[in-house]
Amino acid sequence: MEIKNFSDFCEQVLPDFNKFLDTKLRTEIKQDTLRDAMLYSLDAGGKRVRPMLFLAVAYSCGIKQENLSKMYDIAGAIELVHTYSLIHDDLPEMDDSDYRRGKLANHKKFGVGPAVLAGDGLLTQAFYWIAKSSLDTDKRMAAVRILAHNAGPMGMVAGQMTDITMENKVLNEEELTTLHKEKTADLITAAVTIGAFCANHELSSHLVQYANDIGLAFQLKDDLNDADDGEDNSKNTFPNLIGKEATKTKLNDLVKDALNSVLKETEFDKNLLVSFLDYFKE
Ligand code: GRG
């Protein structure tokens, strides 16, 4: 069936990918409580933005739809890392949130100890999945390198550390941009760049720029939604620092920049990544 845009792509690929994720993890994890806690968050209704972006980039680089399932291990690994980060973010000593996606947070359902271990399990299993994938060694190595670089202490973990240790300091625009880049954008950038690597596409600065822009835009949109919901106005967010209107302008500028960047990409079907930008429309 013809794929017209990003949401069409998700409609066609997501059911199969979701089944893969659940079945694989359910089969692999033998410890009952650990399996339940890991699956509770993995199956809690996440949008799967990062793995779908990864697969959409691979498809846009020329991987045929019927061959995308060979890349599910890598797509799955990216979602496992994302899921671990949310479980740990919700912990009392981090963002201290009792709910996630309208359900009890992992630690509220299973307890803090099991939630820490569920996160640990998801993070470790991600790299097992990449190592065991049927893709060529150079692609698996690129996936390990980029994911560890962007999600670990040179990326997301560093951003989270800044976030929890700078809670009582008002960050300036540059510091806040670095925080958001590390905490949120780096994993999204990893999804896009690993997708290009796995599809033998020579990575260009245009695609990296697109990925960085949508990563930051993702955080701004989330912050704007939280501001609309009346979230704590002492937090380090762009709406709190520069106001909602200026944040909306910044978000629109990032989306425009992302569009201009991806349109410069060559030997690449731009349709899916251009239509992904609809996500940022109000
Ligand atoms: C614990 C090392 C560590 C890192 C946590 C991801 C993160 C870092 C914190 C989450 C804070 C947050 C809510 C940031 C806003 C952007 C974001 C990552 C939103 C959640 O991602 P979605 O919308 O979530 O893709 P779903 O529920 O769809 O999976």
Side-chain angles (χ1 to χ4, degrees), residues 45-50 79 82 84-86 88-89 94-95 100-101 151 156-157 160 163 183-184 218-219 222-223 226 279:
K47 297 182 289 298
R48 313 286 196 221
V49 168
R50 296 152 194 80
E79 186 66 8
H82 167 62
Y84 122 79
S85 80
L86 298 182
H88 282 193
D89 185 57
M94 299 252 184
D95 202 40
R100 165 77 54 189
R101 300 155 174 158
M156 184 174 73
V157 174
Q160 183 75 353
D163 202 18
K183 195 179 84 164
T184 304
F218 204 80
Q219 177 71 50
D222 202 67
D223 284 348
D226 285 348
Y279 176 81

Short mmCIF file of all heavy atoms in Angstrom, two decimals, residues 45-50 79 82 84-86 88-89 94-95 100-101 151 156-157 160 163 183-184 218-219 222-223 226 279, ligand 1:
data_model
loop_
_atom_site.label_atom_id
_atom_site.label_comp_id
_atom_site.label_asym_id
_atom_site.label_seq_id
_atom_site.Cartn_x
_atom_site.Cartn_y
_atom_site.Cartn_z
N GLY A 45 1.22 2.84 26.30
CA GLY A 45 0.58 3.78 25.38
C GLY A 45 1.47 4.91 24.90
O GLY A 45 0.97 5.97 24.49
N GLY A 46 2.78 4.71 24.93
CA GLY A 46 3.71 5.71 24.37
C GLY A 46 3.48 5.88 22.87
O GLY A 46 3.01 4.94 22.20
N LYS A 47 3.81 7.04 22.35
CA LYS A 47 3.54 7.32 20.93
C LYS A 47 4.52 6.63 19.99
O LYS A 47 4.31 6.59 18.79
CB LYS A 47 3.58 8.84 20.69
CG LYS A 47 2.52 9.61 21.47
CD LYS A 47 2.56 11.10 21.18
CE LYS A 47 3.77 11.82 21.76
NZ LYS A 47 3.89 11.79 23.24
N ARG A 48 5.66 6.16 20.53
CA ARG A 48 6.71 5.51 19.72
C ARG A 48 7.33 6.47 18.70
O ARG A 48 7.66 6.06 17.57
CB ARG A 48 6.18 4.28 18.97
CG ARG A 48 5.34 3.31 19.77
CD ARG A 48 6.15 2.50 20.73
NE ARG A 48 5.45 1.34 21.22
CZ ARG A 48 5.51 0.94 22.50
NH1 ARG A 48 6.22 1.60 23.39
NH2 ARG A 48 4.87 -0.13 22.88
N VAL A 49 7.42 7.74 19.06
CA VAL A 49 7.94 8.74 18.11
C VAL A 49 9.35 8.39 17.65
O VAL A 49 9.66 8.44 16.45
CB VAL A 49 7.93 10.16 18.76
CG1 VAL A 49 8.70 11.15 17.92
CG2 VAL A 49 6.49 10.63 18.94
N ARG A 50 10.22 8.03 18.61
CA ARG A 50 11.63 7.81 18.25
C ARG A 50 11.83 6.59 17.35
O ARG A 50 12.48 6.71 16.31
CB ARG A 50 12.49 7.74 19.52
CG ARG A 50 12.48 9.07 20.28
CD ARG A 50 12.69 8.91 21.77
NE ARG A 50 12.36 10.12 22.51
CZ ARG A 50 11.12 10.48 22.84
NH1 ARG A 50 10.09 9.72 22.51
NH2 ARG A 50 10.90 11.61 23.48
N GLU A 79 13.42 2.56 21.70
CA GLU A 79 12.22 2.72 22.55
C GLU A 79 12.48 2.22 23.97
O GLU A 79 11.97 2.79 24.94
CB GLU A 79 11.02 2.01 21.91
CG GLU A 79 9.69 2.24 22.62
CD GLU A 79 9.17 3.70 22.58
OE1 GLU A 79 9.75 4.54 21.86
OE2 GLU A 79 8.19 3.98 23.28
N HIS A 82 14.27 4.99 25.75
CA HIS A 82 13.31 6.06 26.06
C HIS A 82 12.45 5.67 27.27
O HIS A 82 12.24 6.46 28.20
CB HIS A 82 12.45 6.32 24.82
CG HIS A 82 11.25 7.17 25.07
ND1 HIS A 82 11.33 8.48 25.52
CD2 HIS A 82 9.91 6.90 24.96
CE1 HIS A 82 10.11 8.97 25.67
NE2 HIS A 82 9.23 8.04 25.35
N TYR A 84 13.04 3.49 29.69
CA TYR A 84 13.84 3.51 30.94
C TYR A 84 13.95 4.95 31.44
O TYR A 84 13.82 5.21 32.64
CB TYR A 84 15.22 2.88 30.69
CG TYR A 84 16.40 3.78 31.00
CD1 TYR A 84 16.85 3.99 32.32
CD2 TYR A 84 17.08 4.47 29.98
CE1 TYR A 84 17.91 4.84 32.60
CE2 TYR A 84 18.14 5.31 30.25
CZ TYR A 84 18.55 5.50 31.57
OH TYR A 84 19.58 6.36 31.84
N SER A 85 14.20 5.88 30.52
CA SER A 85 14.45 7.27 30.95
C SER A 85 13.19 7.85 31.61
O SER A 85 13.28 8.60 32.58
CB SER A 85 14.92 8.14 29.79
OG SER A 85 13.83 8.55 28.98
N LEU A 86 12.02 7.47 31.10
CA LEU A 86 10.78 7.99 31.69
C LEU A 86 10.53 7.38 33.08
O LEU A 86 10.11 8.08 34.01
CB LEU A 86 9.59 7.73 30.77
CG LEU A 86 9.66 8.41 29.39
CD1 LEU A 86 8.39 8.09 28.59
CD2 LEU A 86 9.83 9.92 29.51
N HIS A 88 12.77 6.28 35.22
CA HIS A 88 13.70 6.89 36.18
C HIS A 88 13.37 8.36 36.41
O HIS A 88 13.50 8.87 37.53
CB HIS A 88 15.15 6.71 35.71
CG HIS A 88 15.68 5.32 35.98
ND1 HIS A 88 17.02 4.99 35.89
CD2 HIS A 88 15.05 4.17 36.35
CE1 HIS A 88 17.18 3.71 36.19
NE2 HIS A 88 16.00 3.19 36.45
N ASP A 89 12.91 9.05 35.37
CA ASP A 89 12.57 10.47 35.52
C ASP A 89 11.42 10.66 36.52
O ASP A 89 11.37 11.65 37.25
CB ASP A 89 12.18 11.06 34.16
CG ASP A 89 11.93 12.56 34.25
OD1 ASP A 89 12.85 13.28 34.68
OD2 ASP A 89 10.83 13.02 33.91
N MET A 94 13.88 12.13 41.43
CA MET A 94 14.08 12.85 40.16
C MET A 94 12.92 13.84 40.01
O MET A 94 12.77 14.74 40.79
CB MET A 94 14.18 11.86 39.00
CG MET A 94 15.34 10.89 39.15
SD MET A 94 16.65 11.24 37.99
CE MET A 94 17.74 9.89 38.36
N ASP A 95 12.05 13.62 39.02
CA ASP A 95 10.96 14.59 38.81
C ASP A 95 9.78 14.35 39.75
O ASP A 95 8.86 15.16 39.81
CB ASP A 95 10.53 14.55 37.34
CG ASP A 95 9.82 15.83 36.93
OD1 ASP A 95 10.28 16.90 37.37
OD2 ASP A 95 8.80 15.76 36.24
N ARG A 100 2.07 8.75 34.74
CA ARG A 100 2.70 8.87 33.42
C ARG A 100 1.71 8.33 32.41
O ARG A 100 1.16 7.25 32.58
CB ARG A 100 4.01 8.06 33.44
CG ARG A 100 4.68 7.74 32.14
CD ARG A 100 5.42 8.86 31.49
NE ARG A 100 6.42 9.52 32.32
CZ ARG A 100 7.03 10.65 31.93
NH1 ARG A 100 6.75 11.21 30.76
NH2 ARG A 100 7.92 11.22 32.72
N ARG A 101 1.43 9.08 31.41
CA ARG A 101 0.48 8.70 30.34
C ARG A 101 -0.89 8.31 30.94
O ARG A 101 -1.52 7.33 30.53
CB ARG A 101 1.00 7.53 29.52
CG ARG A 101 2.33 7.79 28.82
CD ARG A 101 3.04 6.50 28.57
NE ARG A 101 4.25 6.65 27.77
CZ ARG A 101 5.23 5.76 27.78
NH1 ARG A 101 5.16 4.68 28.52
NH2 ARG A 101 6.29 5.95 27.02
N ALA A 151 22.51 8.94 24.62
CA ALA A 151 21.62 8.67 25.75
C ALA A 151 22.37 8.61 27.08
O ALA A 151 21.76 8.67 28.14
CB ALA A 151 20.87 7.36 25.54
N MET A 156 21.88 12.43 27.26
CA MET A 156 20.66 12.51 28.07
C MET A 156 20.93 12.48 29.58
O MET A 156 20.31 13.23 30.34
CB MET A 156 19.72 11.37 27.66
CG MET A 156 18.39 11.39 28.36
SD MET A 156 17.27 10.14 27.71
CE MET A 156 17.98 8.64 28.38
N VAL A 157 21.85 11.60 30.01
CA VAL A 157 22.10 11.50 31.46
C VAL A 157 22.71 12.81 31.98
O VAL A 157 22.38 13.26 33.08
CB VAL A 157 23.00 10.27 31.78
CG1 VAL A 157 23.37 10.25 33.26
CG2 VAL A 157 22.28 8.98 31.41
N GLN A 160 19.92 15.28 32.33
CA GLN A 160 19.10 14.98 33.51
C GLN A 160 19.82 15.43 34.78
O GLN A 160 19.20 15.95 35.71
CB GLN A 160 18.80 13.47 33.55
CG GLN A 160 17.90 13.03 34.69
CD GLN A 160 16.44 13.40 34.48
OE1 GLN A 160 16.08 14.10 33.53
NE2 GLN A 160 15.59 12.93 35.36
N ASP A 163 19.45 19.03 35.11
CA ASP A 163 18.06 19.32 35.48
C ASP A 163 17.83 19.16 36.98
O ASP A 163 17.27 20.05 37.63
CB ASP A 163 17.14 18.36 34.70
CG ASP A 163 15.73 18.90 34.59
OD1 ASP A 163 15.55 20.12 34.79
OD2 ASP A 163 14.82 18.12 34.30
N LYS A 183 18.97 16.54 27.32
CA LYS A 183 17.94 15.72 27.98
C LYS A 183 16.93 15.14 26.98
O LYS A 183 16.49 14.01 27.13
CB LYS A 183 17.21 16.57 29.03
CG LYS A 183 16.39 15.74 30.00
CD LYS A 183 15.69 16.61 31.03
CE LYS A 183 14.38 17.14 30.49
NZ LYS A 183 13.49 17.66 31.53
N THR A 184 16.57 15.91 25.99
CA THR A 184 15.49 15.49 25.09
C THR A 184 15.94 15.30 23.64
O THR A 184 15.61 14.30 23.00
CB THR A 184 14.34 16.52 25.13
OG1 THR A 184 13.93 16.67 26.49
CG2 THR A 184 13.16 16.09 24.29
N PHE A 218 10.51 19.45 20.13
CA PHE A 218 9.75 18.46 20.89
C PHE A 218 9.62 18.89 22.35
O PHE A 218 8.55 18.84 22.96
CB PHE A 218 10.49 17.13 20.80
CG PHE A 218 9.63 15.93 21.01
CD1 PHE A 218 8.85 15.44 19.98
CD2 PHE A 218 9.61 15.28 22.23
CE1 PHE A 218 8.04 14.32 20.18
CE2 PHE A 218 8.82 14.17 22.44
CZ PHE A 218 8.03 13.69 21.41
N GLN A 219 10.76 19.35 22.91
CA GLN A 219 10.76 19.80 24.30
C GLN A 219 9.92 21.08 24.46
O GLN A 219 9.16 21.22 25.42
CB GLN A 219 12.20 20.05 24.76
CG GLN A 219 12.33 20.58 26.16
CD GLN A 219 12.00 19.55 27.23
OE1 GLN A 219 12.51 18.44 27.19
NE2 GLN A 219 11.14 19.90 28.17
N ASP A 222 6.29 20.26 24.46
CA ASP A 222 5.92 19.64 25.74
C ASP A 222 5.81 20.70 26.84
O ASP A 222 4.87 20.69 27.64
CB ASP A 222 7.00 18.61 26.12
CG ASP A 222 6.49 17.57 27.08
OD1 ASP A 222 5.64 16.76 26.69
OD2 ASP A 222 6.94 17.58 28.25
N ASP A 223 6.76 21.64 26.86
CA ASP A 223 6.74 22.71 27.87
C ASP A 223 5.53 23.62 27.68
O ASP A 223 4.92 24.07 28.66
CB ASP A 223 8.02 23.54 27.80
CG ASP A 223 9.21 22.81 28.41
OD1 ASP A 223 8.99 21.78 29.08
OD2 ASP A 223 10.35 23.25 28.20
N ASP A 226 2.55 21.81 29.01
CA ASP A 226 2.56 21.83 30.48
C ASP A 226 2.15 23.21 31.00
O ASP A 226 1.44 23.32 32.00
CB ASP A 226 3.95 21.48 31.03
CG ASP A 226 4.25 20.00 30.91
OD1 ASP A 226 3.32 19.22 30.63
OD2 ASP A 226 5.43 19.61 31.08
N TYR A 279 3.38 17.31 13.43
CA TYR A 279 3.27 17.02 14.87
C TYR A 279 3.32 18.31 15.70
O TYR A 279 2.73 18.38 16.78
CB TYR A 279 4.44 16.09 15.25
CG TYR A 279 4.54 15.77 16.72
CD1 TYR A 279 3.73 14.78 17.29
CD2 TYR A 279 5.42 16.46 17.55
CE1 TYR A 279 3.80 14.50 18.65
CE2 TYR A 279 5.50 16.19 18.90
CZ TYR A 279 4.69 15.20 19.44
OH TYR A 279 4.77 14.93 20.78
C1 GRG B 1 16.42 9.49 33.81
C2 GRG B 1 18.59 9.59 32.56
C3 GRG B 1 17.21 10.00 32.69
C4 GRG B 1 16.70 10.84 31.78
C5 GRG B 1 15.33 11.31 31.74
C6 GRG B 1 13.41 11.94 29.01
C7 GRG B 1 13.81 12.55 30.27
C8 GRG B 1 15.23 12.37 30.71
C9 GRG B 1 12.96 13.20 31.02
C10 GRG B 1 11.54 13.41 30.62
C11 GRG B 1 11.19 14.81 30.80
C12 GRG B 1 10.24 15.23 29.75
C13 GRG B 1 8.81 14.88 29.96
C14 GRG B 1 10.68 15.89 28.68
C15 GRG B 1 9.80 16.38 27.61
C16 GRG B 1 9.99 15.72 26.31
C17 GRG B 1 9.72 14.29 26.44
C18 GRG B 1 10.90 13.40 26.49
C19 GRG B 1 8.47 13.86 26.49
C20 GRG B 1 8.11 12.44 26.58
O1 GRG B 1 8.31 11.84 25.33
P1 GRG B 1 7.09 11.36 24.43
O2 GRG B 1 6.09 12.45 24.28
O3 GRG B 1 6.51 10.25 25.40
O4 GRG B 1 7.62 10.75 23.19
P2 GRG B 1 5.58 8.99 25.10
O5 GRG B 1 4.70 8.91 26.31
O6 GRG B 1 4.79 9.22 23.85
O7 GRG B 1 6.51 7.84 24.99
#
